[in-house]
Amino acid sequence: MTTRKEFLMQSGMLAAGVVLLPSFTLPYKNPKKNLGVQLYTFRDEMLEDAVGTLKKIAALGIKQIESARSTKGLYYGLKPKEMKGVCEDLGMTLRSGHVALDEHWKETMDQAAEAGQEYLICSSMPTEGQTADNYKAVAEAFNKAGEECSSRNIKFGYHNHEYEFESENGEVFYDILLKNTQANLVHMELDLGWVVVAGKDPLDYFRKYEGRFPLWHLKDMDMVKKESTEFGKGGLDIAQMLKYKKESGLKYIFIEQEEYASTPFESMTHNMKFMKNL
């Protein structure tokens, strides 16, 4: 199975079947808080047939879309307005996108503005170095990126993996990011699966940094293999997490699954049924 890091270098083509599920929404009072998906879940399918895959995703009941970088660009070969239009025609919103904070940053922001996205999420650390100094420097870069996005009416954010929860002299690197970024400029997308794999409790972060996590990557994790699995099969207590959505500041949930028992569509059908039954 291609990992996220490997996918950024190369991508294969894999056709998958689909099992359709009637539409539904989470039992939130705010109807905007419908379930979303990170399209990396369907990375091969999106490259093979972006429009056809989005139709199948809509049939699962998904309402919010978060894109990811691909070998065909930020929108899988579609232009930003085309991606927005296809999603809208299917009753979905292109809400967010995973991008890099790199030399193409201005073009990335321009495309996101054209696509009408609310969020731009830096998907990994822009510079290497597991040191406090590097994380402080990155925090400054994030604040600047947040200002630049704000001028385009876009919210900037950061998505974690597990390595941000390593520490130096007792200080967790992820905490350095939180302490040195401005909450109104840097909106954290907490990947709950990677938090638990790192040996941390997402609830501790919801309590300590209340309101800092408007976006979630909801991902159950096989704690032995340290890879994603279908909901209810891993080490994340999803029902417990949802009890703290207010403390989190939760606005949108994006389901992401990187490994599958069979196909991404079968796994997502399982995940949607699981969420409906909570």
Side-chain angles (χ1 to χ4, degrees):
M1 178 60 64
T2 303
T3 67
R4 178 183 292 274
K5 291 179 180 178
E6 292 170 341
F7 181 77
L8 296 178
M9 301 300 296
Q10 62 181 4
S11 178
M13 295 290 188
L14 177 64
V18 59
V19 180
L20 301 183
L21 184 71
S23 298
F24 66 88
T25 62
L26 272 177
Y28 291 122
K29 293 182 180 179
N30 187 338
K32 292 182 179 179
K33 293 181 179 177
N34 296 336
L35 281 172
V37 68
Q38 162 53 246
L39 289 179
Y40 187 75
T41 301
F42 304 99
R43 52 196 175 273
D44 296 324
E45 291 74 19
M46 285 298 297
L47 283 172
E48 184 174 345
D49 180 6
V51 175
T53 300
L54 287 169
K55 289 179 180 179
K56 293 177 181 179
I57 290 170
L60 292 172
I62 297 293
K63 297 300 181 184
Q64 306 291 339
I65 294 296
E66 183 175 63
S67 62
R69 289 180 292 160
S70 78
T71 55
K72 291 185 177 180
L74 300 180
Y75 305 106
Y76 312 94
L78 300 177
K79 295 180 180 179
K81 285 186 178 179
E82 288 179 321
M83 184 72 174
K84 175 185 179 182
V86 171
C87 288
E88 288 180 345
D89 290 345
L90 293 170
M92 301 186 295
T93 300
L94 180 59
R95 183 69 58 186
S96 179
H98 271 205
V99 299
L101 188 58
D102 58 12
E103 66 273 17
H104 305 294
W105 177 237
K106 183 182 183 301
E107 181 184 359
T108 296
M109 290 188 289
D110 291 343
Q111 289 188 59
E114 185 179 347
Q117 292 172 212
E118 183 177 354
Y119 290 92
L120 259 183
I121 305 298
C122 180
S123 60
S124 59
M125 286 285 286
T127 56
E128 294 183 0
Q130 290 297 88
T131 66
D133 286 343
N134 183 49
Y135 276 78
K136 289 176 182 177
V138 167
E140 292 182 12
F142 284 175
N143 286 327
K144 180 181 178 182
E147 290 178 347
E148 293 170 337
C149 282
S150 182
S151 69
R152 292 169 169 80
N153 294 316
I154 301 170
K155 299 180 181 72
F156 174 80
Y158 180 67
H159 165 273
N160 66 279
H161 292 84
E162 80 281 14
Y163 54 79
E164 295 91 342
F165 297 93
E166 295 174 6
S167 60
E168 180 180 275
N169 297 323
E171 188 171 25
V172 177
F173 295 132
Y174 192 66
D175 292 57
I176 292 175
L177 290 179
L178 285 162
K179 292 174 182 176
N180 290 277
T181 51
Q182 297 181 39
N184 64 321
L185 295 177
V186 182
H187 306 265
M188 292 298 191
E189 179 175 66
L190 196 68
D191 190 309
L192 278 66
W194 287 124
V195 176
V196 297
V197 164
K200 305 295 183 181
D201 188 345
L203 301 185
D204 291 338
Y205 280 90
F206 298 159
R207 298 184 188 106
K208 187 175 181 179
Y209 301 98
E210 188 169 350
R212 288 296 306 270
F213 311 98
L215 308 180
W216 288 4
H217 265 197
L218 196 57
K219 178 192 302 176
D220 207 351
M221 298 292 284
D222 183 317
M223 301 299 286
V224 176
K225 295 181 179 179
K226 294 189 176 181
E227 63 182 35
S228 57
T229 187
E230 289 76 20
F231 287 177
K233 298 180 181 181
L236 183 68
D237 189 340
I238 295 174
Q240 181 72 356
M241 297 298 108
L242 287 169
K243 292 178 182 179
Y244 288 81
K245 59 182 182 289
K246 181 178 179 181
E247 289 81 356
S248 165
L250 179 64
K251 294 182 179 179
Y252 302 107
I253 291 174
F254 297 104
I255 299 172
E256 182 185 44
Q257 189 165 332
E258 298 171 311
E259 294 85 19
Y260 330 100
S262 179
T263 71
F265 282 104
E266 290 183 5
S267 290
M268 187 58 63
T269 298
H270 169 95
N271 293 339
M272 293 293 281
K273 287 181 179 178
F274 182 94
M275 295 300 289
K276 183 178 180 180
N277 290 331
L278 281 180

